[in-house]
């Protein structure tokens, strides 16, 4: 394959294509406001933090701005903690292009930095209690933004969990209803899945958790179980030699406020949709100089 065609299958190309889709959403035809600005006018601009947070999205802002031939000087890198008033990026070039990109770039940094910051708080709190705990997100992501939101979780120290339904088998409550319970579901999963795919089973009680481990599940998710019940599962797994061989994941209703209770149960993984859907946007702004 000629090298010039390989770019279409690279991750960078796919990311850039997504970023251009977001821009097209904001400019379906033309930017009526920016068209008022003289065509050849050059300007400088700064993207700055209006509050304290852990930044993420700088590399995507860079990618989009460089595509439009703007000169970029990032002063902060993804994963940095920033303070109110800090300059994240300096940009110079065609004023129309800077103004055209302003809202798309700010929205990405605001949204993604909010997730990274939220995740960092969760991870810091959890690992202060237990160094070996894994804090993961879920597939509760904004349609169209999943890749970016998952990477924002990673930048905050969290685990990305599954990116999609194609990554591994997760047999949830509705699958169990359709398949007639844990035993039959695991039997079918083992028959039909590749050796490369892990099998996770979602359970809501101690008996099903033990049954899933006995039948060869790689991961057992304890869904919406109170911490007291989860502790019992952990104890039984340790007694029967499953603990450490079969991962235990706690999920459902886990927030920053009750995180400590779940960490202390002894589970291996805590997954929370609050890392993404519970994250607030951070405040960033672009200031133009002409």
């Amino acid at each position: 394959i000629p090298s010039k065609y390989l770019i279409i299958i690279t991750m960078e190309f796919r990311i850039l294509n997504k970023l251009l889709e977001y821009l097209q959403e904001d400019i379906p035809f033309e930017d009526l406001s920016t068209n008022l600005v003289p065509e050849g006018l050059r300007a400088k601009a700064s993207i700055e933090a209006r509050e304290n947070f852990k930044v993420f999205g700088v590399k995507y802002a860079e990618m989009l701005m460089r595509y439009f031939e703007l000169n970029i000087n990032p002063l902060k890198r993804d994963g940095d903690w920033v303070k109110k008033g800090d300059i994240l990026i300096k940009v110079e070039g065609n004023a129309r292009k800077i103004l055209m990109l302003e809202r798309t770039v700010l929205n990405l940094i605001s949204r993604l930095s909010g997730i990274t910051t939220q995740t960092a708080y969760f991870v810091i709190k959890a690992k202060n209690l237990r160094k070996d705990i894994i804090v993961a997100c879920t597939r509760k992501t904004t349609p169209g933004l999943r890749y970016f939101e998952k990477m924002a979780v990673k930048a905050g120290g969290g685990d990305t969990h599954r990116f999609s339904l194609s990554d591994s088998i997760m047999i949830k409550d509705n699958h169990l209803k359709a398949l007639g319970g844990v035993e039959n579901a695991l039997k079918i999963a083992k028959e039909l899945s590749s050796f490369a795919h892990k099998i996770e089973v979602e359970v809501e009680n101690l008996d099903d958790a033990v049954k899933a481990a006995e039948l060869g599940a790689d991961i057992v998710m304890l869904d919406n179980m109170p911490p007291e019940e989860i502790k019992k599962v952990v104890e039984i797994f340790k007694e029967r030699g499953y603990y450490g061989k079969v991962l235990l994941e706690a999920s459902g209703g886990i927030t920053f406020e009750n995180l400590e209770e779940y960490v202390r149960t002894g589970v291996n993984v805590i997954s929370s949709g609050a890392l993404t859907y519970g994250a607030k946007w951070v405040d960033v702004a672009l200031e133009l100089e002409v």
Side-chain angles (χ1 to χ4, degrees), residues 1-280:
I1 302 174
S3 59
K4 65 180 179 180
Y5 295 121
L6 291 177
I7 191 171
I8 18 183
I9 57 174
T10 64
M11 195 63 197
E12 187 171 322
F13 178 84
R14 291 168 63 193
I15 292 169
L16 178 59
N17 200 45
K18 268 288 184 190
L19 296 173
L20 292 172
E21 282 180 25
Y22 300 149
L23 182 62
Q24 187 177 30
E25 179 183 59
D26 207 27
I27 314 173
F29 302 107
E30 58 181 320
D31 183 346
L32 298 176
S33 305
T34 299
N35 284 352
L36 304 177
V37 175
E39 191 170 347
L41 182 68
R42 291 184 65 81
K44 297 179 180 179
S46 298
I47 296 177
E48 63 182 58
R50 294 288 175 87
E51 60 180 298
N52 303 339
F53 57 87
K54 192 176 182 71
V55 68
F56 188 71
V58 171
K59 62 184 174 184
Y60 305 129
E62 273 192 83
M63 191 179 291
L64 192 55
M65 288 176 162
R66 289 192 193 283
Y67 179 81
F68 285 96
E69 301 178 325
L70 296 171
N71 297 317
I72 310 299
N73 180 19
L75 302 182
K76 299 294 180 182
R77 288 294 181 185
D78 288 331
D80 288 348
W81 284 99
V82 301
K83 302 188 299 295
K84 182 178 180 179
D86 282 353
I87 304 299
L88 310 180
I89 299 171
K90 284 186 174 290
V91 56
E92 185 176 354
N94 183 280
R96 281 192 176 190
K97 290 180 179 179
I98 294 172
L99 293 170
M100 175 185 76
L101 296 171
E102 177 182 1
R103 181 44 51 196
T104 300
V105 165
L106 292 181
N107 281 354
L108 273 170
I109 294 174
S110 294
R111 172 63 180 153
L112 300 181
S113 296
I115 291 172
T116 296
T117 305
Q118 172 95 326
T119 302
Y121 289 149
F122 267 72
V123 171
I124 290 167
K125 185 174 184 177
K127 288 191 176 291
N128 278 339
L129 297 165
R130 266 183 54 212
K131 296 294 183 187
D132 62 338
I133 191 71
I134 296 170
V135 177
C137 60
T138 68
R139 285 190 301 112
K140 292 176 181 175
T141 54
T142 310
L145 274 177
R146 177 172 295 168
Y147 171 79
F148 299 98
E149 292 183 347
K150 291 270 191 181
M151 296 311 291
V153 167
K154 187 175 182 179
D159 190 282
T160 55
H161 213 298
R162 294 188 300 170
F163 271 83
S164 73
L165 293 170
S166 303
D167 290 347
S168 63
I169 296 171
M170 184 184 288
I171 304 168
K172 296 175 72 67
D173 56 345
N174 285 327
H175 297 110
L176 292 173
K177 290 174 186 175
L179 295 169
V182 172
E183 188 169 350
N184 193 48
L186 270 167
K187 179 176 178 293
I188 294 171
K190 285 185 171 295
E191 287 174 355
L192 299 182
S193 66
S194 165
F195 73 93
H197 291 146
K198 287 188 176 181
I199 301 173
E200 180 167 6
V201 183
E202 178 184 288
V203 300
E204 297 178 353
N205 58 66
L206 173 59
D207 289 343
D208 281 346
V210 172
K211 187 184 295 183
E214 288 174 346
L215 294 170
D218 298 298
I219 308 161
V220 175
M221 178 194 282
L222 309 174
D223 186 49
N224 286 303
M225 289 178 65
E228 303 74 35
E229 290 299 310
I230 292 175
K231 285 179 182 177
K232 293 177 185 176
V233 175
V234 171
E235 288 169 10
I236 293 293
F237 269 51
K238 287 180 176 178
E239 287 175 11
R240 302 195 180 185
Y242 297 132
Y243 190 77
K245 296 177 181 176
V246 179
L247 288 179
L248 283 172
E249 175 182 348
S251 189
I254 300 175
T255 64
F256 188 75
E257 289 69 31
N258 64 20
L259 179 63
E260 181 174 347
E261 300 173 56
Y262 287 91
V263 174
R264 293 193 183 280
T265 61
V267 290
N268 308 106
V269 181
I270 286 174
S271 59
S272 174
L275 299 186
T276 48
Y277 72 70
K280 78 174 189 69

